Coordinates of all heavy atoms in Angstrom, one line a residue:
M809 N -31.2 107.2 -126.6 CA -31.2 105.9 -125.9 C -30.9 104.8 -126.8 O -30.2 103.9 -126.4 CB -32.7 105.8 -125.4 CG -32.8 104.5 -124.5 SD -31.8 104.6 -123.0 CE -33.1 104.4 -121.8
A810 N -31.3 104.9 -128.0 CA -30.9 103.8 -129.1 C -29.3 103.8 -129.3 O -28.8 102.7 -129.3 CB -31.6 104.1 -130.4
E811 N -28.8 104.9 -129.2 CA -27.3 105.0 -129.4 C -26.6 104.3 -128.1 O -25.6 103.6 -128.3 CB -26.8 106.4 -129.6 CG -25.3 106.5 -129.9 CD -24.9 108.0 -130.1 OE1 -25.6 108.7 -130.8 OE2 -23.8 108.3 -129.7
A812 N -27.1 104.6 -127.0 CA -26.5 104.0 -125.8 C -26.6 102.5 -125.8 O -25.7 101.8 -125.4 CB -27.2 104.6 -124.6
L813 N -27.8 102.0 -126.2 CA -28.0 100.6 -126.3 C -27.1 99.9 -127.4 O -26.5 98.9 -127.1 CB -29.5 100.2 -126.7 CG -29.8 98.8 -126.9 CD1 -29.6 98.0 -125.5 CD2 -31.3 98.6 -127.3
A814 N -26.9 100.6 -128.6 CA -26.0 100.1 -129.5 C -24.7 100.0 -129.0 O -23.8 99.0 -129.2 CB -26.1 100.9 -130.8
H815 N -24.3 101.0 -128.3 CA -22.9 101.1 -127.8 C -22.6 99.9 -126.8 O -21.6 99.2 -126.8 CB -22.7 102.4 -127.0 CG -21.3 102.6 -126.4 ND1 -20.1 102.7 -127.1 CD2 -20.8 102.4 -125.1 CE1 -19.1 102.7 -126.4 NE2 -19.4 102.6 -125.1
T816 N -23.6 99.6 -125.9 CA -23.5 98.6 -125.0 C -23.4 97.2 -125.6 O -22.8 96.2 -125.1 CB -24.6 98.5 -123.8 OG1 -25.8 98.4 -124.6 CG2 -24.6 99.8 -123.1
Q817 N -24.0 97.1 -126.9 CA -23.9 95.8 -127.6 C -22.7 95.7 -128.4 O -22.5 94.8 -129.2 CB -25.2 95.7 -128.4 CG -26.5 95.7 -127.7 CD -27.7 95.8 -128.5 OE1 -27.7 96.3 -129.7 NE2 -28.8 95.3 -127.9
G818 N -21.8 96.7 -128.3 CA -20.6 96.6 -129.1 C -20.6 97.2 -130.5 O -19.7 97.0 -131.3
K819 N -21.8 97.7 -130.8 CA -21.9 98.2 -132.2 C -21.3 99.7 -132.3 O -21.3 100.4 -131.3 CB -23.4 98.3 -132.6 CG -24.1 96.9 -132.6 CD -25.5 97.1 -132.8 CE -26.2 95.6 -132.7 NZ -27.7 95.8 -132.8
R820 N -20.9 100.0 -133.5 CA -20.4 101.3 -133.7 C -21.4 102.4 -133.7 O -22.5 102.1 -134.2 CB -19.6 101.5 -135.1 CG -18.4 100.7 -135.1 CD -17.6 101.1 -136.4 NE -16.2 100.7 -136.2 CZ -15.3 101.6 -136.0 NH1 -15.5 102.8 -136.0 NH2 -14.0 101.2 -135.9
T821 N -21.2 103.5 -133.1 CA -22.2 104.5 -133.0 C -21.5 105.9 -133.5 O -20.3 105.9 -133.7 CB -22.7 104.8 -131.5 OG1 -21.6 105.1 -130.7 CG2 -23.3 103.5 -131.0
G822 N -22.2 106.8 -133.7 CA -21.6 108.1 -134.1 C -21.0 108.9 -132.9 O -20.4 109.9 -133.1
G823 N -21.2 108.4 -131.8 CA -20.7 109.1 -130.5 C -19.2 109.2 -130.5 O -18.5 108.3 -131.0
R824 N -18.7 110.1 -129.7 CA -17.2 110.3 -129.5 C -16.8 109.6 -128.3 O -17.6 109.5 -127.3 CB -16.8 111.7 -129.5 CG -17.1 112.4 -130.8 CD -16.6 113.9 -130.6 NE -17.0 114.6 -131.8 CZ -16.9 116.0 -131.9 NH1 -16.4 116.6 -130.8 NH2 -17.1 116.6 -132.9
T825 N -15.7 109.1 -128.2 CA -15.2 108.6 -127.0 C -14.1 109.6 -126.4 O -13.4 110.3 -127.2 CB -14.5 107.2 -127.1 OG1 -13.4 107.3 -128.0 CG2 -15.5 106.2 -127.6
H826 N -14.0 109.7 -125.1 CA -13.0 110.6 -124.5 C -12.0 109.7 -123.8 O -12.4 109.0 -122.9 CB -13.7 111.5 -123.5 CG -12.8 112.4 -122.8 ND1 -12.3 113.5 -123.5 CD2 -12.4 112.4 -121.5 CE1 -11.5 114.0 -122.6 NE2 -11.6 113.5 -121.5
K827 N -10.7 109.8 -124.3 CA -9.7 109.1 -123.7 C -9.1 109.9 -122.5 O -8.7 110.9 -122.6 CB -8.6 108.9 -124.7 CG -7.5 108.0 -124.2 CD -6.5 107.7 -125.3 CE -5.4 106.8 -124.7 NZ -4.4 106.4 -125.7
V828 N -9.2 109.2 -121.4 CA -8.7 109.8 -120.1 C -7.2 109.3 -119.9 O -7.0 108.1 -120.0 CB -9.5 109.3 -118.9 CG1 -9.0 109.9 -117.6 CG2 -11.0 109.8 -119.0
T829 N -6.3 110.2 -119.7 CA -5.0 109.9 -119.4 C -4.6 110.5 -118.1 O -5.0 111.6 -117.8 CB -4.0 110.3 -120.5 OG1 -4.1 111.7 -120.6 CG2 -4.3 109.6 -121.8
V830 N -3.8 109.9 -117.3 CA -3.3 110.3 -116.0 C -1.8 110.0 -115.9 O -1.4 108.9 -116.0 CB -4.1 109.6 -114.9 CG1 -3.6 110.2 -113.5 CG2 -5.5 109.7 -115.0
K831 N -1.1 111.1 -115.8 CA 0.4 111.0 -115.7 C 0.8 110.7 -114.3 O 0.1 111.0 -113.3 CB 1.1 112.2 -116.3 CG 0.7 112.5 -117.6 CD 1.3 113.8 -118.0 CE 0.8 114.2 -119.4 NZ 1.3 115.7 -119.8
P832 N 2.0 110.0 -114.1 CA 2.4 109.7 -112.7 C 2.4 111.0 -111.9 O 2.0 110.9 -110.7 CB 3.8 109.2 -113.0 CG 3.7 108.5 -114.3 CD 2.9 109.5 -115.1
D833 N 2.9 112.1 -112.3 CA 3.0 113.3 -111.5 C 1.6 113.8 -111.1 O 1.4 114.4 -110.1 CB 3.8 114.4 -112.1 CG 3.3 114.9 -113.5 OD1 2.8 114.1 -114.2 OD2 3.3 116.2 -113.7
E834 N 0.6 113.6 -111.9 CA -0.7 114.0 -111.7 C -1.3 113.2 -110.5 O -2.1 113.7 -109.7 CB -1.6 113.9 -112.9 CG -1.2 114.8 -114.0 CD -2.0 114.6 -115.3 OE1 -2.4 113.4 -115.5 OE2 -2.2 115.5 -116.1
I835 N -1.0 111.9 -110.5 CA -1.4 111.0 -109.5 C -0.8 111.5 -108.1 O -1.5 111.6 -107.1 CB -1.1 109.5 -109.7 CG1 -1.7 109.1 -111.0 CG2 -1.4 108.6 -108.5 CD1 -1.2 107.8 -111.6
Q836 N 0.5 111.7 -108.2 CA 1.1 112.2 -106.8 C 0.6 113.5 -106.4 O 0.4 113.7 -105.2 CB 2.7 112.2 -107.1 CG 3.4 112.5 -105.9 CD 5.0 112.4 -106.1 OE1 5.4 113.1 -107.0 NE2 5.7 111.7 -105.3
N837 N 0.4 114.4 -107.4 CA -0.2 115.8 -107.0 C -1.5 115.6 -106.4 O -1.9 116.3 -105.4 CB -0.3 116.7 -108.2 CG 1.1 117.1 -108.7 OD1 2.2 117.0 -107.9 ND2 1.3 117.5 -109.9
A838 N -2.3 114.8 -106.9 CA -3.7 114.5 -106.4 C -3.7 114.0 -105.0 O -4.4 114.4 -104.2 CB -4.5 113.5 -107.3
R839 N -2.8 113.1 -104.8 CA -2.6 112.5 -103.4 C -2.1 113.6 -102.4 O -2.6 113.7 -101.3 CB -1.6 111.4 -103.5 CG -1.3 110.8 -102.0 CD -0.4 109.6 -102.1 NE 0.9 109.9 -102.7 CZ 1.9 110.5 -102.1 NH1 1.7 110.9 -100.8 NH2 3.0 110.7 -102.7
K840 N -1.2 114.4 -102.9 CA -0.6 115.5 -102.0 C -1.7 116.6 -101.7 O -1.6 117.1 -100.7 CB 0.6 116.0 -102.6 CG 1.8 115.0 -102.5 CD 3.1 115.6 -103.1 CE 4.2 114.6 -102.8 NZ 5.5 115.0 -103.4
Q841 N -2.5 116.8 -102.7 CA -3.6 117.8 -102.5 C -4.5 117.4 -101.4 O -5.0 118.3 -100.7 CB -4.4 118.0 -103.8 CG -3.8 118.9 -104.8 CD -4.8 119.1 -106.0 OE1 -5.6 118.2 -106.4 NE2 -4.9 120.3 -106.5
L842 N -4.7 116.2 -101.3 CA -5.5 115.7 -100.1 C -4.8 115.5 -98.8 O -5.3 115.2 -97.7 CB -6.1 114.3 -100.5 CG -7.1 114.4 -101.6 CD1 -7.5 113.0 -102.0 CD2 -8.4 115.2 -101.2
G843 N -3.4 115.7 -98.8 CA -2.6 115.6 -97.7 C -2.5 114.2 -97.2 O -2.4 113.9 -95.9
L844 N -2.4 113.2 -98.1 CA -2.5 111.8 -97.7 C -1.2 111.1 -98.0 O -0.5 111.5 -99.0 CB -3.6 111.1 -98.2 CG -5.0 111.5 -98.0 CD1 -6.0 110.7 -98.9 CD2 -5.3 111.3 -96.5
S845 N -0.7 110.2 -97.1 CA 0.5 109.4 -97.5 C 0.0 108.4 -98.5 O -1.2 108.3 -98.8 CB 1.0 108.6 -96.2 OG 0.0 107.6 -95.9
Q846 N 1.0 107.7 -99.1 CA 0.7 106.7 -100.1 C -0.3 105.6 -99.5 O -1.2 105.2 -100.1 CB 1.9 106.1 -100.7 CG 2.6 106.9 -101.7 CD 3.9 106.4 -102.2 OE1 4.6 105.5 -101.5 NE2 4.2 106.7 -103.4
D847 N 0.1 105.2 -98.3 CA -0.8 104.1 -97.7 C -2.1 104.7 -97.4 O -3.1 103.9 -97.6 CB -0.1 103.7 -96.4 CG 1.1 102.9 -96.6 OD1 1.3 102.2 -97.7 OD2 2.0 102.8 -95.7
Q848 N -2.3 105.9 -97.0 CA -3.6 106.4 -96.6 C -4.4 106.6 -97.9 O -5.6 106.3 -97.9 CB -3.5 107.7 -95.9 CG -3.0 107.7 -94.6 CD -2.6 109.1 -94.0 OE1 -2.1 110.0 -94.7 NE2 -2.8 109.3 -92.7
F849 N -3.8 107.1 -99.0 CA -4.5 107.3 -100.2 C -4.9 106.0 -100.9 O -6.1 105.8 -101.2 CB -3.6 108.0 -101.2 CG -4.2 108.4 -102.5 CD1 -4.8 109.7 -102.6 CD2 -4.2 107.6 -103.6 CE1 -5.4 110.1 -103.8 CE2 -4.8 108.1 -104.8 CZ -5.4 109.3 -104.9
A850 N -4.1 105.0 -100.8 CA -4.4 103.7 -101.4 C -5.6 103.1 -100.6 O -6.5 102.5 -101.2 CB -3.1 102.8 -101.3
N851 N -5.5 103.2 -99.3 CA -6.6 102.7 -98.5 C -7.9 103.3 -98.7 O -9.0 102.8 -98.9 CB -6.3 102.7 -97.0 CG -7.2 102.1 -96.1 OD1 -7.6 100.9 -96.4 ND2 -7.7 102.7 -95.0
A852 N -7.9 104.6 -98.8 CA -9.1 105.5 -99.1 C -9.8 105.2 -100.4 O -11.0 105.2 -100.5 CB -8.8 107.0 -98.9
F853 N -9.0 104.8 -101.4 CA -9.6 104.7 -102.7 C -9.5 103.2 -103.2 O -9.8 103.0 -104.4 CB -8.9 105.6 -103.7 CG -9.1 107.1 -103.3 CD1 -8.1 107.9 -102.8 CD2 -10.4 107.6 -103.5 CE1 -8.4 109.2 -102.4 CE2 -10.7 108.9 -103.1 CZ -9.7 109.7 -102.6
G854 N -9.2 102.3 -102.3 CA -9.3 100.9 -102.7 C -8.3 100.3 -103.6 O -8.7 99.4 -104.4
V855 N -7.1 100.8 -103.5 CA -6.1 100.1 -104.3 C -4.9 99.7 -103.3 O -4.8 100.2 -102.2 CB -5.5 101.0 -105.4 CG1 -6.5 101.4 -106.4 CG2 -4.9 102.3 -104.8
S856 N -4.1 98.9 -103.7 CA -2.9 98.6 -102.9 C -1.9 99.6 -102.9 O -1.8 100.4 -103.9 CB -2.3 97.2 -103.2 OG -1.6 97.4 -104.4
A857 N -1.2 99.7 -101.8 CA -0.1 100.8 -101.7 C 0.9 100.5 -102.8 O 1.5 101.4 -103.4 CB 0.5 100.8 -100.3
S858 N 1.2 99.2 -103.0 CA 2.2 98.9 -104.0 C 1.7 99.3 -105.4 O 2.6 99.9 -106.2 CB 2.4 97.4 -104.0 OG 3.1 96.9 -105.1
T859 N 0.5 99.1 -105.7 CA 0.0 99.6 -107.0 C 0.1 101.1 -107.1 O 0.6 101.6 -108.2 CB -1.5 99.2 -107.2 OG1 -1.5 97.7 -107.3 CG2 -2.1 99.8 -108.5
L860 N -0.3 101.9 -106.1 CA -0.1 103.3 -106.1 C 1.3 103.8 -106.4 O 1.5 104.7 -107.1 CB -0.7 103.9 -104.8 CG -0.6 105.4 -104.7 CD1 -1.4 106.1 -105.7 CD2 -1.1 105.9 -103.4
R861 N 2.2 103.1 -105.6 CA 3.6 103.5 -105.8 C 4.1 103.3 -107.2 O 4.7 104.1 -107.8 CB 4.5 102.6 -104.9 CG 4.5 103.2 -103.4 CD 5.6 102.5 -102.6 NE 5.3 101.3 -101.9 CZ 4.4 101.2 -100.9 NH1 3.7 102.3 -100.5 NH2 4.0 100.0 -100.3
K862 N 3.6 102.1 -107.8 CA 4.0 101.9 -109.2 C 3.3 102.9 -110.1 O 4.0 103.3 -111.2 CB 3.6 100.5 -109.6 CG 4.5 99.4 -108.9 CD 4.0 98.0 -109.2 CE 4.9 97.1 -108.4 NZ 4.5 95.7 -108.5
W863 N 2.2 103.3 -109.9 CA 1.5 104.3 -110.7 C 2.3 105.7 -110.6 O 2.6 106.4 -111.6 CB 0.1 104.7 -110.3 CG -0.9 103.6 -110.6 CD1 -0.8 102.6 -111.4 CD2 -2.2 103.6 -110.0 NE1 -1.9 101.8 -111.4 CE2 -2.9 102.4 -110.6 CE3 -3.0 104.4 -109.1 CZ2 -4.1 102.1 -110.3 CZ3 -4.3 104.0 -108.8 CH2 -4.8 102.8 -109.4
E864 N 2.7 106.1 -109.4 CA 3.4 107.2 -109.1 C 4.9 107.2 -109.8 O 5.4 108.3 -110.1 CB 3.5 107.7 -107.7 CG 2.1 108.1 -107.1 CD 2.2 108.6 -105.7 OE1 3.3 108.6 -105.1 OE2 1.2 109.0 -105.2
Q865 N 5.4 106.1 -109.9 CA 6.8 106.0 -110.4 C 6.7 105.7 -111.9 O 7.8 105.7 -112.6 CB 7.5 104.8 -109.7 CG 7.8 105.0 -108.2 CD 8.2 103.8 -107.5 OE1 8.4 102.7 -108.0 NE2 8.5 104.0 -106.2
G866 N 5.5 105.6 -112.4 CA 5.4 105.4 -113.9 C 5.7 103.9 -114.4 O 5.9 103.7 -115.5
Q867 N 5.8 103.0 -113.4 CA 6.1 101.6 -113.8 C 4.8 100.9 -114.3 O 4.9 99.9 -115.0 CB 6.6 100.8 -112.5 CG 7.9 101.4 -112.0 CD 8.4 100.7 -110.7 OE1 7.6 100.0 -110.1 NE2 9.6 101.0 -110.3
R868 N 3.7 101.4 -113.8 CA 2.4 100.8 -114.3 C 1.5 102.1 -114.5 O 1.7 103.1 -113.9 CB 1.8 99.9 -113.2 CG 2.6 98.6 -113.1 CD 1.9 97.7 -112.1 NE 0.6 97.3 -112.6 CZ -0.4 96.8 -111.9 NH1 -0.2 96.4 -110.6 NH2 -1.6 96.5 -112.3
A869 N 0.4 101.8 -115.2 CA -0.6 102.9 -115.5 C -1.9 102.4 -115.0 O -2.3 101.3 -115.3 CB -0.5 103.2 -117.0
P870 N -2.7 103.3 -114.4 CA -4.0 103.0 -114.1 C -4.9 102.7 -115.3 O -4.6 103.3 -116.3 CB -4.5 104.1 -113.2 CG -3.6 105.3 -113.6 CD -2.3 104.7 -114.1
T871 N -5.8 101.8 -115.1 CA -6.8 101.5 -116.2 C -8.2 101.7 -115.8 O -8.5 101.8 -114.6 CB -6.6 100.1 -116.7 OG1 -6.8 99.2 -115.6 CG2 -5.1 99.8 -117.3
G872 N -9.1 101.7 -116.7 CA -10.5 101.7 -116.5 C -11.0 102.8 -115.5 O -10.6 103.9 -115.7
A873 N -11.9 102.4 -114.6 CA -12.4 103.3 -113.7 C -11.4 104.1 -112.8 O -11.6 105.2 -112.4 CB -13.5 102.7 -112.8
A874 N -10.3 103.4 -112.6 CA -9.3 104.1 -111.7 C -8.6 105.3 -112.4 O -8.4 106.3 -111.7 CB -8.1 103.1 -111.5
K875 N -8.5 105.3 -113.7 CA -8.1 106.5 -114.3 C -9.0 107.6 -114.2 O -8.6 108.8 -114.0 CB -7.9 106.2 -115.9 CG -6.7 105.4 -116.2 CD -6.4 105.4 -117.7 CE -7.6 105.0 -118.6 NZ -7.2 104.9 -120.0
T876 N -10.3 107.3 -114.4 CA -11.3 108.4 -114.3 C -11.4 108.9 -112.8 O -11.4 110.1 -112.6 CB -12.8 107.8 -114.7 OG1 -12.6 107.3 -116.0 CG2 -13.8 108.8 -114.6
L877 N -11.3 108.0 -111.8 CA -11.4 108.5 -110.5 C -10.2 109.3 -110.2 O -10.3 110.4 -109.5 CB -11.5 107.3 -109.5 CG -11.4 107.6 -108.0 CD1 -12.6 108.6 -107.7 CD2 -11.5 106.3 -107.2
L878 N -9.0 109.0 -110.6 CA -7.8 109.8 -110.3 C -7.9 111.2 -111.0 O -7.4 112.1 -110.3 CB -6.5 109.0 -110.8 CG -6.2 107.7 -110.0 CD1 -5.2 106.9 -110.7 CD2 -5.6 108.2 -108.6
K879 N -8.4 111.2 -112.2 CA -8.5 112.4 -112.8 C -9.5 113.4 -112.1 O -9.3 114.6 -111.9 CB -9.1 112.3 -114.2 CG -9.1 113.5 -115.1 CD -7.7 114.3 -115.2 CE -6.9 113.6 -116.2 NZ -5.6 114.5 -116.4
I880 N -10.6 112.8 -111.5 CA -11.6 113.5 -110.7 C -10.9 114.0 -109.4 O -11.1 115.1 -109.0 CB -12.8 112.7 -110.5 CG1 -13.6 112.5 -111.8 CG2 -13.8 113.4 -109.5 CD1 -14.7 111.5 -111.7
I881 N -10.1 113.1 -108.8 CA -9.4 113.5 -107.5 C -8.5 114.6 -107.8 O -8.4 115.6 -107.1 CB -8.7 112.3 -106.9 CG1 -9.6 111.2 -106.5 CG2 -7.8 112.7 -105.8 CD1 -9.0 109.8 -106.2
E882 N -7.8 114.6 -108.9 CA -6.9 115.6 -109.3 C -7.6 117.0 -109.4 O -7.1 118.0 -109.0 CB -6.1 115.3 -110.6 CG -5.2 116.3 -111.0 CD -4.7 116.2 -112.5 OE1 -5.3 115.4 -113.2 OE2 -3.7 117.0 -112.8
R883 N -8.7 117.0 -110.1 CA -9.4 118.2 -110.5 C -10.3 118.7 -109.3 O -10.5 119.9 -109.1 CB -10.2 118.0 -111.7 CG -9.2 117.9 -113.0 CD -10.1 117.9 -114.2 NE -9.2 117.7 -115.3 CZ -9.6 117.4 -116.5 NH1 -10.9 117.4 -116.7 NH2 -8.7 117.3 -117.5
E884 N -10.9 117.8 -108.6 CA -11.9 118.2 -107.6 C -11.8 117.3 -106.3 O -12.6 116.6 -105.9 CB -13.4 117.9 -108.1 CG -13.7 118.9 -109.3 CD -13.7 120.3 -108.9 OE1 -14.0 120.7 -107.8 OE2 -13.6 121.1 -109.9
P885 N -10.6 117.3 -105.7 CA -10.3 116.6 -104.6 C -11.3 116.7 -103.4 O -11.7 115.6 -102.8 CB -8.9 116.9 -104.1 CG -8.6 118.2 -104.7 CD -9.5 118.4 -105.9
K886 N -11.7 117.9 -103.1 CA -12.7 118.1 -102.0 C -14.0 117.4 -102.3 O -14.6 117.0 -101.3 CB -12.8 119.5 -101.6 CG -11.5 120.1 -101.0 CD -11.5 121.5 -100.8 CE -10.2 122.1 -100.2 NZ -10.2 123.5 -100.0
A887 N -14.4 117.5 -103.5 CA -15.7 117.0 -103.9 C -15.7 115.4 -103.7 O -16.7 114.8 -103.2 CB -16.0 117.3 -105.3
V888 N -14.5 114.8 -104.0 CA -14.4 113.4 -103.9 C -14.4 113.0 -102.4 O -15.2 112.0 -102.0 CB -13.2 112.9 -104.5 CG1 -12.9 111.4 -104.3 CG2 -13.2 113.1 -106.1
V889 N -13.7 113.7 -101.6 CA -13.8 113.4 -100.2 C -15.1 113.6 -99.6 O -15.6 112.7 -98.8 CB -12.7 114.4 -99.4 CG1 -12.9 114.2 -97.9 CG2 -11.3 114.0 -99.8
R890 N -15.9 114.7 -100.0 CA -17.3 114.8 -99.5 C -18.1 113.6 -100.0 O -18.9 113.2 -99.1 CB -17.8 116.1 -100.0 CG -17.4 117.4 -99.3 CD -18.3 118.6 -99.7 NE -18.5 118.7 -101.1 CZ -17.7 119.5 -101.9 NH1 -16.7 120.0 -101.4 NH2 -18.0 119.6 -103.2
A891 N -18.0 113.2 -101.1 CA -18.8 112.1 -101.7 C -18.5 110.8 -100.9 O -19.4 110.1 -100.7 CB -18.6 112.0 -103.2
L892 N -17.2 110.6 -100.6 CA -16.9 109.3 -99.9 C -17.4 109.4 -98.5 O -17.7 108.4 -97.9 CB -15.5 109.1 -100.1 CG -15.0 108.7 -101.5 CD1 -13.4 108.6 -101.5 CD2 -15.6 107.4 -101.9
R893 N -17.4 110.6 -97.9 CA -17.8 110.6 -96.5 C -19.3 110.4 -96.4 O -19.8 109.9 -95.4 CB -17.5 112.0 -95.9 CG -16.0 112.1 -95.6 CD -15.7 113.5 -94.8 NE -14.3 113.5 -94.5 CZ -13.6 114.6 -94.5 NH1 -14.2 115.8 -94.6 NH2 -12.3 114.6 -94.3
A894 N -20.1 110.8 -97.4 CA -21.5 110.7 -97.4 C -21.9 109.2 -97.6 O -23.0 108.9 -97.2 CB -22.1 111.5 -98.5
A895 N -21.0 108.4 -98.1 CA -21.5 107.0 -98.4 C -21.4 106.2 -97.2 O -21.0 106.3 -96.2 CB -20.5 106.5 -99.5

């Protein structure tokens, strides 16, 4: 708990950080696994269709929570759909 508190305060801790990277083809594959168009995928996950297109074309890269969500969608698409339907 002390380590988590120190981390939130911006202090160095002994913990490791995990860098999440998502490549454009991984984003497109995740969308296709769900059988969604770009517009449908963007709407379902709260991003603009323009942003999604730029991610898939490699013109922009997702940041923050979007990277993590995209990685989860890629690896466990059905679980994400179930979680969103339950909400």
Side-chain angles (χ1 to χ4, degrees):
M809 187 63 127
E811 187 175 322
L813 180 60
H815 179 76
T816 61
Q817 294 172 340
K819 298 177 184 173
R820 287 190 163 257
T821 63
R824 296 182 185 171
T825 58
H826 179 71
K827 185 174 181 180
V828 175
T829 57
V830 183
K831 298 175 186 172
D833 62 320
E834 294 172 329
I835 298 167
Q836 189 175 49
N837 289 339
R839 177 177 59 78
K840 288 181 177 181
Q841 280 184 322
L842 293 173
L844 299 175
S845 69
Q846 287 179 329
D847 289 335
Q848 291 168 326
F849 187 91
N851 186 49
F853 297 105
V855 297
S856 73
S858 173
T859 295
L860 177 61
R861 280 192 271 292
K862 289 176 183 175
W863 287 347
E864 288 188 358
Q865 294 169 358
Q867 295 173 354
R868 292 184 59 195
T871 61
K875 286 192 305 188
T876 302
L877 179 59
L878 288 165
K879 186 57 80 172
I880 294 168
I881 293 167
E882 177 195 14
R883 292 186 181 170
E884 298 292 336
K886 291 178 183 175
V888 173
V889 170
R890 280 193 313 271
L892 291 173
R893 283 188 184 148

